[in-house]
Amino acid sequence: MMLNIDWQKLTDDCVDFTQRLIQTPSMPYEEEAIAALIGEEMKKLGFDEVWGDEVGNIYGRVYGEDRSLGALVLNTHLDHVDPGEPSLWPVPPFSGEIVGERICGRGACDIKGPLAVQIYSMGALLRAGVRPRRDVVFTGVVEEEIGGTGSAYWVENLDYEVDLVVLGEPSENRVALGHRGIMQFWVQFNGRSVHASVPDKGDNPNYALATFLTRLESARRTLRVHPHMGQTSVAPTIVEVDTKSANVTPAWTRVLLDIRTASDSPVSVLAMIGEIASDLNYEVTTARPCVTDAPDLESDEIVYGFDTDGEDEDIKRAVAAISEGMGREVELGYYQFATDGRLFVPYGLKIIGYSPSEEHLAHTIKESILIPKMAEGLRGHVGLMLGF
């Protein structure tokens, strides 16, 4: 189909919108202003419906030629992680400054640049007076960075048919077919607290923690390997003790283990922990990393995020449509990080990721997005909406 789209104008407008999004800080629980900005942009572009909900999500719909088909849902989140110390950034984190071919700032990569591409690819069809094959629904959701409240609310209250969800998480214009799931456990080591001047009269659990972490470095490499998504990873992150007094040895110390897997269960991970901590005074409790992710210590069920079948006919059609739009064959891959996609699995929704931004820049002080990749992503999204 020949489309009357001024691609340069579309890209320029998308870049301008991205800059305005970056210039609107939207930490978790503080997404109201950016939701309003997005809602006004969708109205300006002529979306058929624009609405919000009680948790703060913002939605927009463009009607398709065949409204009896299930919808194509474009999903991104509104929030971003903390920028940290502004002086460490090469540009002010909320400037949206363009450096060379990159838009820079917190959220540029994860996920405001991809959000703008989703919105403006829908707007491209409206500008050209063309309808997508089916309804396309933009879902801008809150609190993804702290667990997925917005996406959980959307899917739990879904009242229309959905044939495909496209996540705007960074994939560098590849199609992501899945990612590993999350487990988090506190491993606590118990001792006996004493005055720091007489350490031999107590039992300092920090030594047990040090022993455990040394053993963990080797043991974690023995965990299972998924054929597509790789080995289970274990990362010690937060360390806590029961005291804030510098002259007291702790009664207990604990470490949070962040586990990403598509091949292990809570039971298999805990077996590894038990093997290396068997001679230590330890206990394990669950942490709740996300809205629905509270691992059951006794579960033998494999934990994963989502794992989409690349041979599914709908997925093959979506991949072909994106490739047609970009003018080249799209590569397939998998995310390293987790996404809200894991929340849609229990509802039987088909999920892929597709976005112009680069995964390795997410959550860093060099966060940015390449404008040429955005231009290519606009074409890929337009191809998807016409061909899927």
Side-chain angles (χ1 to χ4, degrees), residues 203-238:
D203 178 11
N204 193 328
N206 282 331
Y207 292 114
L209 172 61
T211 298
F212 174 79
L213 291 177
T214 300
R215 294 171 179 173
L216 179 65
E217 175 62 19
S218 299
R220 66 185 178 85
R221 303 185 190 281
T222 67
L223 288 166
R224 299 170 185 168
V225 179
H226 187 275
H228 301 137
M229 289 180 263
Q231 185 168 44
T232 298
S233 65
V234 182
T237 56
I238 302 169

Side-chain angles (χ1 to χ4, degrees), residues 51-59 142-143 149-150 153-154 156-157:
W51 74 100
D53 65 26
E54 62 185 66
V55 300
N57 295 333
I58 184 72
Y59 307 99
V142 298
E143 299 171 34
T149 300
Y153 182 90
W154 170 73
E156 288 166 6
N157 293 278

Side-chain angles (χ1 to χ4, degrees), residues 56-76:
N57 295 333
I58 184 72
Y59 307 99
R61 187 191 302 267
V62 172
Y63 297 154
E65 287 184 339
D66 187 350
R67 301 204 64 205
S68 69
L69 297 173
L72 170 64
V73 170
L74 306 182
N75 172 279
T76 52

Side-chain angles (χ1 to χ4, degrees), residues 78-96:
L78 309 182
D79 58 327
H80 55 72
V81 296
D82 193 287
E85 173 52 52
S87 66
L88 298 177
W89 284 73
V91 303
F94 296 116
S95 66

Side-chain angles (χ1 to χ4, degrees), residues 7-44:
W7 291 104
Q8 187 59 58
K9 168 68 171 164
L10 185 74
T11 301
D12 291 345
D13 290 347
C14 185
V15 167
D16 174 74
F17 185 42
T18 301
Q19 291 179 288
R20 287 183 282 128
L21 291 169
I22 295 169
Q23 292 159 3
T24 308
S26 54
M27 287 286 290
Y29 307 122
E30 299 172 6
E31 299 104 323
E32 185 175 354
I34 200 166
L37 173 63
I38 294 165
E40 287 305 309
E41 199 76 7
M42 289 189 290
K43 290 175 183 175
K44 184 177 76 174

Side-chain angles (χ1 to χ4, degrees), residues 91-109:
V91 303
F94 296 116
S95 66
E97 185 176 331
I98 295 176
V99 179
E101 294 186 313
R102 290 184 175 273
I103 313 171
C104 304
R106 176 55 82 222
C109 161

Side-chain angles (χ1 to χ4, degrees), residues 183 185 224 261 263-270 296 299-303:
M183 290 185 277
F185 299 116
R224 299 170 185 168
T261 183
S263 51
D264 274 287
S265 68
V267 165
S268 66
V269 171
L270 291 175
D296 177 356
S299 174
D300 226 346
E301 206 170 303
I302 299 298
V303 172

Side-chain angles (χ1 to χ4, degrees), residues 275-291:
E275 186 174 333
I276 63 176
S278 59
D279 59 338
L280 306 172
N281 183 5
Y282 83 100
E283 57 188 90
V284 178
T285 55
T286 60
R288 182 183 288 272
C290 301
V291 171

